[in-house]
Amino acid sequence: MKKITVLGNFSGRNAGDAAILGNLLDDIAAAHPDALFIVPTLNPRFVKRHFGHHNIKALGLMPWNGAVKIFGLPTFRAMLQADLVLVTDNILFDRKLLNPLFNYLSTISLIAPACKARGIPIALYNASLGPITTSLGKYALQRVLDASPMLILRDEQSKQLLDQQKLNYQDVYINADCAINTTPPPTERMEEIIGKEGLFKNPKGTIGFNINAYIDNWRKDNKTFGREPFLQAIGSTLDRLIEELDIEIMYTITQVMDTKITNESLKYVKRRDRIRVISNATYTYQEIAGLLQRVEVHVGMRTHSVILASGVLTPVVAINSYPKTAGFMKTIGQDNWLINFDELTTNTLTNLIKSAWEQRHETRAAMTPLVQREQAKARSSVELVSQLLAQGQQSEVQVTA
């Protein structure tokens, strides 16, 4: 039985992270039904409840488990007792590098040389890299790369970062984010949710909308948009869309920490009667994908709200608050529907969304083959993992002989 450790943010607070884990488990388990997946997590109960149908072992990351989030005995054991370590999502960056409550790179880089010495490969699995802006961050990432015979990235920008930073690496493959393959629940379940929440009653249609609590914290120039101006712009935009298009809004929360800023923005909205709030605190990532499938256009700041929507072929507009958002939009040929904070005003955002609304049918037709290509690429990563596991098995045979 092969032991595969999966590293990421799997606490249940983020629908995108849950989608990454769920699709990864589904894909790899189909090819390796005897594999044991070891998942360090702040919330073992969530992992067991939602993914317990797989052969999975959830390791707690709380102080009583001997850990300060990722830093501690559970992660050390999970990585050093595995046959393969998979690093997911976008957790290898150097912001707050020495703070284990926020940063994963420092801890993974600390353990990586020991993995290499034991012959335990570390592979990035449909992941992104960066940003890396410090010499210490570059050093930490290189330690991980030295233990990584294979990098399966989800965007070209991550490979560009490797080359720009002049980092040494081995094999690189550009595939796609696991979350793009999320399958909505059966129609019966979706109709139950729609009836309960009072959604999609307006024959003119519904626009999905999502914001996040970070706003523009990831900007390289250290300028800030400001919370109050941002909330005013979002509130005014929602009102204008409702009035000018005569539609409804499905305000979609995919990370529970965004609940506060979402509710704050509603204070600036006059037509609150036209807005329904949907949260991953109540619904699974599959259910959220199913709801996003029913909207005409989705406007997202959280990258995975955009990925979940595009995965069900809903046209998307992205507010660029993360480096990985721009990368994803470019990958699916939708970077013309991306707005940066430097140009964000009520007028520019409203006009962009209205244009997306008017062109939604053409956009859906154009994006469909590109999304389907990305879905196939995400699934193809399993074949690469199988190669690593096979190489490990051959090494064991040679040692035994």
Side-chain angles (χ1 to χ4, degrees), residues 4-75:
I4 303 174
T5 290
V6 185
L7 300 180
N9 292 297
F10 306 128
S11 66
R13 293 175 58 83
N14 190 317
D17 294 333
I20 287 173
L21 181 59
N23 287 295
L24 178 154
L25 293 172
D26 290 344
D27 291 345
I28 298 180
H32 300 277
D34 60 339
L36 171 64
F37 297 93
I38 302 169
V39 181
T41 172
L42 289 169
N43 192 347
R45 184 179 298 178
F46 168 80
V47 170
K48 292 174 184 176
R49 183 171 70 251
H50 289 274
F51 308 109
H53 54 287
H54 290 294
N55 186 17
I56 192 166
K57 182 178 181 181
L59 300 181
L61 293 177
M62 301 302 287
W64 52 85
N65 303 120
V68 179
K69 202 169 182 181
I70 189 175
F71 181 78
L73 290 175
T75 304

Side-chain angles (χ1 to χ4, degrees), residues 96-115:
K96 299 182 181 179
L97 181 64
L98 301 181
N99 180 358
L101 295 175
F102 184 84
N103 191 287
Y104 278 59
L105 174 57
S106 54
T107 296
I108 295 172
S109 70
L110 185 65
I111 309 170
C115 287

Side-chain angles (χ1 to χ4, degrees), residues 143-345:
R143 285 166 63 96
V144 178
L145 298 175
D146 290 342
S148 305
M150 183 180 294
L151 307 179
I152 311 172
L153 304 176
R154 63 187 180 189
D155 53 60
E156 288 283 351
Q157 287 74 15
S158 293
K159 185 177 183 302
Q160 291 171 9
L161 180 146
L162 293 172
D163 296 333
Q164 290 167 358
Q165 294 284 354
K166 298 181 180 180
L167 291 159
N168 300 316
Y169 55 88
Q170 298 184 47
D171 293 339
V172 171
Y173 301 86
I174 309 297
N175 284 353
D177 194 295
C178 302
I180 202 168
N181 280 314
T182 298
T183 302
T187 301
E188 295 78 12
R189 173 56 181 158
M190 295 313 305
E191 291 300 328
E192 178 185 344
I193 296 171
I194 290 167
K196 176 183 176 182
E197 298 293 343
L199 293 164
F200 312 125
K201 292 182 177 181
N202 187 342
K204 296 289 183 66
T206 300
I207 287 179
F209 214 95
N210 163 269
I211 62 174
N212 73 51
Y214 292 133
I215 308 180
D216 57 353
N217 286 2
W218 288 87
R219 285 176 61 165
K220 294 180 180 179
D221 57 13
N222 292 321
K223 295 180 181 178
T224 57
F225 193 90
R227 191 179 186 91
E228 191 75 12
F230 173 75
L231 294 171
Q232 291 175 347
I234 295 300
S236 298
T237 297
L238 293 174
D239 274 333
R240 281 190 55 182
L241 292 171
I242 291 168
E243 293 298 331
E244 296 175 23
L245 296 177
D246 193 24
I247 48 85
E248 294 188 352
I249 302 292
M250 186 179 79
Y251 222 154
T252 309
I253 299 170
T254 61
Q255 158 60 279
V256 294
M257 71 177 290
D258 298 333
T259 303
K260 181 179 179 180
I261 195 167
T262 300
N263 290 336
E264 285 180 15
S265 71
L266 290 173
K267 298 176 183 178
Y268 295 86
V269 175
K270 298 176 182 177
R271 294 305 306 273
R272 180 67 179 82
D273 59 305
R274 291 286 193 98
I275 298 176
R276 299 290 182 272
V277 179
I278 302 298
S279 173
N280 69 307
T282 304
Y283 298 110
T284 67
Y285 68 91
Q286 298 100 324
E287 291 166 344
I288 288 175
L291 293 173
L292 290 172
Q293 190 176 41
R294 308 290 184 100
V295 303
E296 300 292 325
V297 174
H298 175 66
V299 184
M301 281 181 67
R302 284 273 173 192
T303 307
H304 275 103
S305 83
V306 175
I307 292 174
L308 288 172
S310 62
V312 291
L313 303 179
T314 294
V316 289
V317 172
I319 301 172
N320 189 17
S321 62
Y322 295 121
K324 59 185 177 181
T325 302
F328 175 73
M329 291 292 283
K330 185 175 182 179
T331 298
I332 62 168
Q334 299 300 301
D335 44 330
N336 56 316
W337 298 118
L338 181 78
I339 186 168
N340 296 310
F341 272 90
D342 289 340
E343 53 192 352
L344 194 152
T345 66

